[in-house]
Amino acid sequence: MAIDIGGTKIAGALVHPDGTMTAATRRPTPRDADAEGVFAAVAEVVAELADSPLWASAARCGIGSAGPVDASRGTVSPVNIGAWRDYPVRERIAAELARHGAPVPTVLVGDGVAMTAAEHWLGAARGRANALCMVVSTGVGGGLVLNNRLHPGPTGNAGHIGHISVAFDGERCVCGGHGCVESLASGTAIARWALAQGWTPDGDATAAGVAAAAGAGDPVARAAFDRAGRALAAAIAATATLVETDIAVIGGGVATSGDTLLAPIRRHLADYAALSFTRGLEVVPATLGTHAGLIGAAAAAIMLLPAG
């Protein structure tokens, strides 16, 4: 069983051992609802999955959620779901599964860790023992695979590369730190910097608009992506130096710009990944796209839980 919880949708599926999905379903994440109103949508997803003839054969349940998460406590406080603060989502979902006759082991991971598990299982990091996977979107998140094992850390936040500081005298980040990757390389940061430097959007003032302008040769837009790529390269190299990853997989909405983002990352990486054991580091795009959340929740359950 896989459940993917985000700010716009709550999805579920039964995932087979080869990664194919059955009985996939989704609900919009309720707006202006209280905590129980949001969970009601989760309960509807579980109930629909329980109607599948394969429900009884499910052995584990993985939950991937927007963060912050505390996997040790099973709680979430998603930035984009205001009604949930320290919400005991793992306990509540486990109870809902049991109510439908499936008291299986259940694990909670953040969406960056879920994406990492998905890309290692079936995507761009498949067959790689040590990998960093990143989501570059409105924020910047990530996760780690070390020695072929998912490494979420005690609270589920290991690999949260968006809050590595790459500019010690940089602006204050929303997390309270200074010069974090997220404050330089998120889609929000890219668009904000481009606008501040005089870029004039052609109807789309988001990072997608900046990417389109960069592709058309706009110098400010190109500089915005170069700046973001440099920040990401510094953080990728720091991670590889610390734990010897040999591949970085980049996903998320900003990464759909392709080489507009990946080319400056690769170019700047040569300046930061200078040690012999980091020089061969590869930077590649994620391959699973919108399916990464559900596949990743299932993959995390396989990697972190025994079968029920």
Side-chain angles (χ1 to χ4, degrees):
M1 306 163 188
I3 297 174
D4 179 26
I5 298 170
T8 59
K9 59 96 174 63
I10 295 166
L14 301 179
V15 183
H16 295 259
D18 64 357
T20 57
M21 294 189 293
T22 296
T25 184
R26 61 190 294 167
R27 298 287 188 280
T29 303
R31 301 289 184 185
D32 302 319
D34 62 11
E36 292 308 299
V38 176
F39 188 77
V42 179
E44 289 178 9
V45 166
V46 171
E48 189 165 335
L49 294 179
D51 284 339
S52 167
L54 294 174
W55 174 255
S57 64
R60 313 170 179 88
C61 177
I63 307 160
S65 175
V69 306
D70 186 337
S72 64
R73 297 170 56 224
T75 61
V76 297
S77 303
V79 172
N80 47 14
I81 305 178
W84 279 4
R85 290 296 172 265
D86 293 322
Y87 189 78
V89 69
R90 185 180 63 203
E91 177 185 324
R92 292 298 307 276
I93 288 178
E96 198 67 17
L97 299 178
R99 192 169 73 82
H100 287 281
V104 298
T106 303
V107 68
L108 167 69
V109 296
D111 50 9
V113 174
M115 176 264 193
T116 300
E119 291 293 334
H120 184 259
W121 185 24
L122 296 173
R126 187 172 188 175
R128 307 301 283 266
N130 300 288
L132 166 68
C133 298
M134 302 173 61
V135 180
V136 184
S137 186
T138 52
V140 177
L144 291 166
V145 170
L146 302 177
N147 296 323
N148 278 313
R149 297 175 64 88
L150 191 64
H151 182 74
T155 67
N157 291 289
H160 200 339
I161 194 169
H163 295 288
I164 289 179
S165 177
V166 292
F168 71 88
D169 57 352
E171 65 181 80
R172 186 171 289 279
C173 178
V174 292
C175 76
H178 286 273
C180 293
V181 174
E182 184 169 295
S183 69
L184 296 164
S186 69
T188 305
I190 290 169
R192 183 177 64 242
W193 188 87
L195 288 165
Q197 300 304 307
W199 171 64
T200 302
D202 185 17
D204 183 356
T206 69
V210 182
D218 184 286
V220 175
R222 289 171 64 89
F225 269 87
D226 185 76
R227 178 176 181 262
R230 184 178 182 185
L232 291 165
I236 291 167
T239 303
T241 302
L242 188 66
V243 295
E244 292 199 57
T245 53
D246 55 21
I247 189 170
V249 178
I250 316 292
V254 178
T256 60
S257 62
D259 280 346
T260 300
L261 179 67
L262 296 180
I265 294 174
R266 291 169 178 149
R267 184 172 62 253
H268 287 295
L269 196 59
D271 293 330
Y272 295 104
L275 293 168
S276 60
F277 62 91
T278 64
R279 285 182 199 145
L281 185 60
E282 293 179 59
V283 176
V284 300
T287 61
L288 296 177
T290 57
H291 297 298
L294 285 171
I295 292 174
I302 292 168
M303 297 174 82
L304 298 173
L305 288 173

